[in-house]
Each structure stands twice: as structure tokens, then as C-alpha cells.
Amino acid sequence: NPSLEVKEQQEGTTKHEMAPWGLPFNPQDSAKYKKQILALPDGDNSDIFKKETSFRSIAESAHAFYQGLSLLELSGKEKLLDLGADICWSTNKFAEIGCQCVALDINYHLPVSDVYIYENNVYFERIRADMDYLPFIDRSFDVVVNMTSIHHATDLKRTFKEIARVLISSGRVILINEPVRGIFQSKEIGRKIEKELNLNDRGYTLWEYYSAAKKAGLRMSFEPGFSSTISSNLIKRISKSFLIKPPQLARLFIKLITKITMPIFPCKVIMIA
């Protein structure tokens, strides 16, 4: 029973697939692109990963996924919810580790993940639902993962409240590669066409994420992912200009600069609770 806003997002997503930067194929034709789907998130030399498509975007942010995966330190025994799973390439990775996974999204891409189930001998549940109204009983999951999707939330506070509700008391939630807008940046992010299609592409500041999580009872820490505005190479050059030669001091300096600048400039972060 989706809300009108969710229905508009579903319709917008379907239209977005036809755009050059959307899903690079019709979901019904996914079997023809089995090789490329199985190559996610790393990608291969196929044209799909060279053109401006969602697959190229995934490949470009693969490092963030692996960083988040490393921070989670999964044992393979966890019950895991993957929010905004789309075609479930991330769910597939968690299932390969051994986690009992559920993939959730509002769009119609979930069946594309048949490729992973049949080719990689993994299994996970797939549910079309709204992340603001999760269809699960309290304390259902050990881990909740959100890969570049929670910024589409209509009500960030409600979304975090729902995440906290379905987590066990010692559970963890990680947000990977979520865009964080700087205090001088517009709340509206994304292309003009994405706004016209009602994809709800919003930008939240670091403090908006923090406040929403805190009100839901979640404790948060931050691992920065650098954008083009603040690149790690730039900070390294700055650290060299200050003649910080010992590696330990250089790392400390980079961490300090990151903490200071993250709330001000647009960036991407990984957040763990």
C-alpha cells in the first residue's frame, strides 16, 4: 500500500531507466548482461562501465563499499537487511560471506538479482517496500546496510527510527557512500531530470544525519570518503607543505583537517552506529 510519493518515485525510476545515466538495460533483458552484472561492484572493460550509466557509478564507488565491508567485520552469521538494494549486487556480496540477507527497495529492479542466485549459488529474500515503513517485527536484524540510498528518504528522522526499531539492541547500521551536503550547498542535489521525475534526491548535512540518528537512539561515528571538493591527495599535499614528515603525524593531521572541514564542504562519508 505505497504512499502517493512512493508511487511517484516508482514511476520516476521506471522513466529514469530510459535515461543514458540510468540502468544500462531493460530489467527484462538482464540475462543478456549476466557477465556485467556479476562483475559488480568492480566492473570490467565492457562499454556499460565506460559510458555514463549507474554501473559506472557503482564501479567508481566500489572502494567505499569495500571500506564499509571491512569496517563491518562480518562473521557470516548475521541477519542483514540491505536497504535500497536495487539489483542486489551488495546483497550478493553479503550472502557470499554467509549472512542471512533481506534486500529491500521500492523499484522494480530486484528480479535482476536472479543472476546472483543462480550463478553464485547464494540466496536472499527480496521485498518491495518503503524504508520509512519497514515490514518487519522489532529486533529482526543484526546489521542494516544502506548503500547510497538513504538520502532519498522522505523523512530522515522516521527512516532512522525504523532502522533502530528493526535492529537488535547490540546491532549495527552502516551508511556507505551517502552524499553529505556542505552548509553552503543546495539541499537539492542531482540532475534537473531527476527532480522532474520526483526521485527525491536530497542532500543532508552531517549534522542532520547525526541529529536524526541520535533521536532514534543510535550512536554514530564517521569514516570520511573524499569527494572532488576535498580529495585525499589534496590533504596529503597540504600535509607535505607543513613539512609533516613522520607518517603518524601526517595521518593525525589528515584526520584533524577532515573533522574540521567535513561539516562545511560537500563530501561523502561512511557512518556506523
Side-chain angles (χ1 to χ4, degrees):
N1 186 27
S3 66
L4 176 62
E5 189 166 23
V6 169
K7 286 181 178 179
E8 289 177 346
Q9 287 186 53
Q10 288 175 324
E11 292 171 4
T13 301
T14 302
K15 293 176 182 176
H16 187 258
E17 290 166 4
M18 301 300 104
W21 53 83
L23 196 69
F25 51 80
N26 189 309
Q28 296 176 346
D29 298 328
S30 58
K32 299 178 183 178
Y33 298 91
K34 181 170 64 176
K35 178 176 175 287
Q36 290 78 15
I37 296 170
L38 291 171
L40 292 171
D42 305 279
D44 56 20
N45 293 321
S46 304
D47 289 341
I48 279 179
F49 292 99
K50 296 176 182 178
K51 298 177 181 178
E52 190 178 4
T53 68
S54 60
F55 273 37
R56 190 176 80 173
S57 297
I58 293 169
E60 289 174 346
S61 59
H63 65 283
F65 172 76
Y66 289 118
Q67 183 184 358
L69 186 61
S70 174
L71 289 167
L72 279 173
E73 296 182 338
L74 297 172
S75 68
K77 298 179 181 179
E78 294 85 357
K79 292 181 179 179
L80 185 147
L81 172 62
D82 191 357
L83 290 180
D86 198 54
I87 66 169
C88 305
W89 62 265
S90 52
T91 321
N92 166 66
K93 290 295 183 184
F94 300 129
E96 285 184 323
I97 294 171
C99 297
Q100 185 178 338
C101 301
V102 177
L104 182 144
D105 211 309
I106 64 169
N107 68 28
Y108 300 97
H109 299 170
L110 293 172
V112 173
S113 60
D114 280 351
V115 171
Y116 298 118
I117 292 174
Y118 291 114
E119 295 294 324
N120 291 347
N121 195 29
V122 296
Y123 183 76
F124 43 84
E125 300 289 351
R126 294 165 289 182
I127 295 177
R128 184 174 299 125
D130 183 359
M131 62 183 171
D132 286 348
Y133 299 90
L134 296 174
F136 309 110
I137 61 173
D138 297 356
R139 298 181 177 87
S140 295
F141 298 97
D142 303 300
V143 178
V144 174
V145 176
N146 198 296
M147 182 79 183
T148 324
S149 55
I150 203 170
H151 68 281
H152 290 283
T154 305
D155 185 341
L156 194 62
K157 293 177 182 177
R158 179 175 180 83
T159 304
F160 272 110
K161 187 176 180 180
E162 277 291 272
I163 289 172
R165 179 183 65 79
V166 301
L167 274 174
I168 63 171
S169 57
S170 58
R172 294 171 293 162
V173 54
I174 182 166
L175 278 65
I176 303 175
N177 206 44
E178 287 294 337
V180 176
R181 82 175 167 88
I183 59 175
F184 303 114
Q185 190 181 20
S186 170
K187 290 183 179 181
E188 297 295 329
I189 62 176
R191 300 175 175 85
K192 181 181 178 181
I193 183 66
E194 290 166 340
K195 297 174 186 176
E196 293 173 352
L197 293 176
N198 298 309
L199 296 184
N200 205 36
D201 217 357
R202 302 184 180 186
Y204 295 100
T205 64
L206 189 65
W207 304 121
E208 285 174 318
Y209 280 117
Y210 181 83
S211 175
K214 186 177 180 181
K215 287 182 179 179
L218 299 170
R219 292 179 292 108
M220 304 202 72
S221 60
F222 305 89
E223 290 286 339
F226 298 102
S227 69
S228 56
T229 307
I230 310 174
S231 71
S232 56
N233 289 332
L234 174 61
I235 292 180
K236 286 175 183 177
R237 289 199 299 271
I238 293 173
S239 68
K240 287 181 180 179
S241 69
F242 278 84
L243 301 178
I244 301 175
K245 298 298 182 182
Q248 297 87 349
L249 287 177
R251 282 194 292 269
L252 182 63
F253 176 78
I254 291 170
K255 191 171 184 179
L256 177 63
I257 292 295
T258 302
K259 292 290 184 184
I260 294 171
T261 58
M262 232 195 312
I264 302 173
F265 297 100
C267 60
K268 291 183 179 178
V269 298
I270 293 175
M271 293 166 271
I272 312 167

